[in-house]
């Protein structure tokens, strides 16, 4: 049976169609999910796509966190449902306290849109198993509120428990010269929960799944093939 990956659409979501397409290209059955519907329609995994849900009013992701669909996602994520939050989806996961920390405006106070190099720090999550630890990948980044912050104790716990999933290459490490794009503490681009089923990151893997679209790379496809292999082996 084909695994079903649901993609949630909130008012202001922009990248739901891209995420649905990425799931299809990986071999899954993509399932659109509406924010006002508590029913997840028997999906095996969920993607919270990027965009500007509710116009990012109040705080990015703060209103979406209270959508009816999130009640079900929070409950099922705590029970093991794989959830991937991309950009605005990452912001929603922090607002829902499924992931620690918070997302603030970029330190330079400008919207940024560019290809971004990352280093895979944790290849043992449900969404990263097709990568190798230390592997460098390149996927698009586009955000205004992309600066990951947390208190020092939380940051130390994330580091000690191996829960930093992705890191921006430090200044001077990236061959293209692109280091930390938004001032995220400890160059953190993405994190995971302790169980490894919930992952959030700011860059957009769904925009790097076909050689003729986006940046012309396919480094983002590994997120979607990783979850399919996890679901098949479960």
């Amino acid at each position: 049976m084909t695994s079903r990956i649901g993609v949630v659409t909130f008012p202001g979501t922009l990248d739901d169609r891209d995420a649905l397409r990425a799931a299809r290209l990986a071999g899954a059955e993509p399932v659109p999910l509406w924010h006002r519907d508590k029913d997840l329609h028997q999906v095996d995994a969920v993607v919270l796509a990027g965009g500007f849900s509710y116009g990012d009013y109040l705080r990015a992701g703060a209103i979406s966190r209270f959508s009816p669909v999130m009640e079900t996602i929070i409950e099922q994520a705590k029970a093991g449902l794989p959830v991937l939050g991309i950009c605005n989806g990452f912001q929603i996961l922090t607002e829902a306290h499924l992931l620690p920390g918070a997302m603030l405006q970029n330190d330079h106070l400008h919207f940024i849109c560019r290809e971004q190099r990352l280093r895979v720090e944790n290849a043992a999550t449900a969404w990263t198993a097709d990568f190798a630890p230390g592997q460098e990948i390149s996927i698009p980044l586009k955000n205004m509120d992309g600066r990951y912050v947390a208190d020092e104790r939380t940051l130390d716990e994330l580091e000690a428990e191996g829960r930093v999933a992705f890191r921006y290459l430090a200044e001077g490490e990236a061959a293209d010269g692109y280091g930390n794009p938004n001032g995220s503490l400890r160059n953190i681009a993405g994190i995971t929960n302790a169980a490894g089923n919930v992952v959030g990151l700011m860059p957009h893997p769904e925009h790097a799944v076909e050689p003729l679209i986006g940046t012309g790379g396919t480094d983002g496809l590994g997120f979607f093939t990783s979850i399919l292999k996890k679901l098949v082996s479960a």
Side-chain angles (χ1 to χ4, degrees):
M1 179 180 293
T2 303
S3 297
R4 293 162 55 86
I5 296 181
V7 178
V8 180
T9 299
F10 300 93
T13 297
L14 301 179
D15 301 309
D16 44 349
R17 291 178 180 268
D18 302 74
L20 288 164
R21 182 174 180 81
R24 182 182 297 111
L25 287 172
E29 177 185 349
V31 180
L33 299 176
W34 184 237
H35 72 112
R36 293 180 62 87
D37 187 359
K38 290 185 178 182
D39 188 352
L40 297 185
H41 301 283
Q42 298 180 316
V43 298
D44 302 298
V46 168
V47 176
L48 302 178
F52 302 91
S53 61
Y54 291 94
D56 278 352
Y57 293 119
L58 185 60
R59 289 187 310 276
I63 300 176
S64 295
R65 176 259 179 273
F66 293 101
S67 291
V69 73
M70 286 304 299
E71 294 181 29
T72 308
I73 290 174
I74 291 169
E75 178 184 354
Q76 294 198 18
K78 291 178 179 178
L81 177 74
V83 179
L84 176 66
I86 302 170
C87 195
N88 191 230
F90 186 12
Q91 295 160 345
I92 294 169
L93 289 177
T94 61
E95 290 288 340
H97 303 297
L98 287 174
L99 292 175
M103 311 302 302
L104 301 181
Q105 284 192 338
N106 299 340
D107 59 353
H108 44 71
L109 302 182
H110 293 287
F111 180 83
I112 188 169
C113 182
R114 73 188 193 196
E115 190 170 0
Q116 180 68 46
R117 293 197 65 80
L118 309 173
R119 182 168 56 246
V120 180
E121 301 285 6
N122 185 335
T125 79
W127 298 92
T128 60
D130 259 2
F131 298 109
Q135 181 178 347
E136 293 183 12
I137 62 175
S138 182
I139 57 179
L141 173 80
K142 50 177 186 175
N143 63 68
M144 178 66 190
D145 298 88
R147 177 161 55 107
Y148 180 76
V149 298
D151 60 83
E152 286 298 311
R153 179 178 179 179
T154 298
L155 292 170
D156 288 343
E157 287 179 353
L158 290 173
E159 300 278 13
E161 296 172 7
R163 291 172 54 195
V164 176
F166 299 94
R167 214 182 295 268
Y168 301 115
L169 299 186
E171 297 294 339
E173 282 190 285
D176 55 14
Y178 285 161
N180 188 326
N182 45 37
S184 290
L185 297 181
R186 304 196 188 183
N187 297 324
I188 291 174
I191 60 175
T192 179
N193 67 345
N197 63 303
V198 179
V199 171
L201 78 162
M202 286 310 296
H204 288 261
E206 79 282 12
H207 294 330
V209 295
E210 294 183 278
L212 296 180
I213 295 178
T215 60
T218 59
D219 285 355
L221 193 60
F223 289 79
F224 300 92
T225 57
S226 291
I227 189 59
L228 286 185
K229 290 181 179 178
K230 171 68 175 178
L231 294 171
V232 168
S233 64

